[in-house]
Amino acid sequence: MQEQKIALVTGASKGIGAAIARELAGDGFRLWLNYRSDHRAATLLAEEIRGSGGDCTLLPFDVADVAAVATALEPLLEHQVPLVLVNNAGFARDGILALMSQGDWEDVLAVHLNGFFNVTRLVVARMLKKRRGRIINIVSTSGETGMAGQVNYSAAKAGLIGATRSLAAEVGRRNILVNAVSPGFIATEMTADLPQEQILPMIPLGRIGEPEEVSGLVSFLCSERASYITGQVFAVNGGAHI
Ligand code: NAP
């Protein structure tokens, strides 16, 4: 009997993470769906996935909280190992560096970098034993190029790009493939309040992207067709950074 595939997606109650969860469920993955606080949105998504014949386990925890991550994941990992991990959870706390609070600096680094470390360390240890796995880190155009008002967020996402490349080099021989997907401006709660008149001129395709335009690439990178791709950063940004 073929082993059932599991995908753990962090920050998947809404936005890009929810689109990735839907798409991977459609690809036949059982979902371990993490989020932090929006129980209603997560429950609705889980019901939607189950209603379409899929399987979804809700895992509410803060990826930046190492103890909470271990409490939620270790009991599950005793029995099953995800084939796919998508590190997507995150947020921005924009503001110019000269006025940035210590908290806004630390919280943004914590969710993206500590979050990656806390979740990935536990999962990759088991993937190494299984000798297979796919890890996708959701980064950002801000991690590839300078963006005023996002020094904390740029530092976090650039760090995650570095972690992607080094981890890919570290685990490739065990058939674990690690890549980053780098969205530009995508229509989610995170970008809802940004001034369109300032953003649209920066995008050659002349529009903001949809979460499904990111999740399609993640689905491909998790598929057998992407079996020789590792250590790469793939932009989905409408040409905003070329
Ligand atoms: P979003 O709509 O605001 O959704 C963020 C998700 O992350 C929610 O499910 C949220 O859970 C979860 N989350 C936040 N902090 C968390 C934590 N500490 N632990 C666990 N889950 C947490 O954001 P999005 O736009 O989809 O962004 C998703 C990812 O794409 C982020 O890494 C972001 O940096 C990246 N990105 C987004 C854009 C864009 O234009 N939207 C562009 C480039 C990169 P709850 O709401 O349940 O608390």
Side-chain angles (χ1 to χ4, degrees):
M1 197 176 74
Q2 206 183 358
E3 203 178 347
Q4 276 201 302
K5 310 180 292 182
I6 296 168
L8 166 56
V9 184
T10 69
S13 60
K14 60 188 65 158
I16 293 169
I20 292 169
R22 275 192 194 93
E23 185 121 7
L24 293 181
D27 292 342
F29 284 91
R30 291 167 52 201
L31 261 295
W32 289 2
L33 194 146
N34 160 259
Y35 63 102
R36 184 179 46 175
S37 56
D38 196 339
H39 303 295
R40 189 179 141 71
T43 303
L44 284 174
L45 177 56
E47 283 168 5
E48 181 191 323
I49 289 171
R50 291 178 196 128
S52 307
D55 185 89
C56 183
T57 301
L58 291 180
L59 298 173
F61 60 81
D62 179 348
V63 295
D65 180 340
V66 65
V69 173
T71 301
L73 288 184
E74 273 177 345
L76 294 174
L77 291 168
E78 300 261 307
H79 307 289
Q80 292 160 311
V81 182
L83 176 61
V84 163
L85 164 62
V86 183
N87 287 301
N88 167 80
F91 52 76
R93 294 276 183 272
D94 293 353
I96 62 169
L97 184 71
L99 299 176
M100 188 176 289
S101 70
Q102 187 83 21
D104 283 351
W105 171 257
E106 287 175 0
D107 289 351
V108 168
L109 263 62
V111 72
H112 296 287
L113 291 177
N114 297 1
F116 159 81
F117 175 76
N118 294 339
V119 176
T120 307
R121 182 177 53 154
L122 291 184
V123 174
V124 81
R126 274 77 174 188
M127 285 178 170
L128 285 166
K129 287 188 185 147
K130 289 267 182 189
R131 293 180 175 267
R132 60 173 200 159
R134 301 282 171 96
I135 299 172
I136 315 288
N137 298 320
I138 306 301
V139 296
S140 169
T141 305
S142 286
E144 299 183 89
T145 184
M147 204 72 83
Q150 292 202 312
V151 171
N152 50 356
Y153 186 74
S154 291
K157 292 301 198 183
L160 198 47
I161 288 172
T164 302
R165 293 183 172 131
S166 289
L167 185 60
E170 201 169 292
V171 298
R173 289 198 181 277
R174 292 285 182 104
N175 193 31
I176 300 166
L177 282 54
V178 188
N179 290 290
V181 169
S182 181
F185 294 104
I186 306 297
T188 68
E189 272 186 20
M190 192 170 145
T191 52
D193 296 333
L194 297 179
Q196 299 255 333
E197 66 283 3
Q198 286 175 29
I199 289 170
L200 293 181
M202 296 160 67
I203 309 171
L205 291 189
R207 65 177 178 83
I208 288 178
E210 296 299 325
E212 292 71 24
E213 293 178 292
V214 180
S215 62
L217 177 57
V218 174
S219 163
F220 170 71
L221 290 172
C222 296
S223 75
E224 275 311 309
R225 297 171 70 198
S227 53
Y228 200 55
I229 302 173
T230 195
Q232 305 305 310
V233 182
F234 298 95
V236 184
N237 62 23
H241 174 57
I242 293 177

